[in-house]
Amino acid sequence: MTSSKRFMRAVVTLTGLLLFSSGFAAENDALKLVPADSLFCVQVNNFEYSLSRMDGFLAGLAPTPMTLQMGARMALSQLLGGPQLEGLNMKGSFVIFAAGYDNQDPDKMMTFIVPITDFKQLVSSNPNLSEADANGIVSIQDAGGVVAQAGDFVMIKSPKCYDEIVAMKKAAGEADFKSLLSVLDAQQAQQAASSPAWAYVNVPQLNKTFGPQIAAVMEEMKEELSQMPA
């Protein structure tokens, strides 16, 4: 296939994906667990179905035996150690967000939110998961990580984030917790629920967090440019 035909196929693919998103419906319950001051957030609704539809749209663009759906299931299987993914709700909304900043360990910023059908079944059926401890925290044995239940979801963070996930679990259950969903307007909330994939970027918070570093880099670039010949 020529490059121009591949380009047109890509345009049709993206157009179809956007048209498909307008008729999608889901809940925003996962966003109730995301702090309002998060730097960014990505939500994929009806996870397995959306990935299968995306695979259908992308088929032929870059032929490969590995589909998005297959790759996602393999990644989750490796993480949990259970190929059947028992206890997970693969038709629910999956979320990843970043909150806070630790320049010594940026991984601490990231949190995954995964929908579940049964927390006890999730723990007992997936070999990589330990039993919950006194704080209700489950450890991921091989890949590493800590897991906490929050209603119909589990939050997953890096293995260095035990104290952080305990605090998140506690905060999410408090009545005064300010979630990302609470600061979205009606149109944004509808878009989050009606799209296969939805992304949110908190520009003011990003500027507040990374503004000094960006300014320092810009000053270095200006200094280097000033020393270059005209």
Side-chain angles (χ1 to χ4, degrees), residues 202-217:
N202 188 335
V203 176
Q205 190 65 28
L206 277 172
N207 185 56
K208 179 180 178 181
T209 303
F210 296 106
Q213 293 95 319
I214 295 173
V217 171

Side-chain angles (χ1 to χ4, degrees), residues 4 8 22 25 40 49 56 74-75 78 86 91 148 198 207 227:
S4 60
M8 289 305 299
S22 65
F40 73 83
Y49 179 67
M74 286 182 62
Q78 291 172 358
E86 295 182 71
K91 296 181 179 180
W198 174 83
N207 185 56
Q227 298 175 8

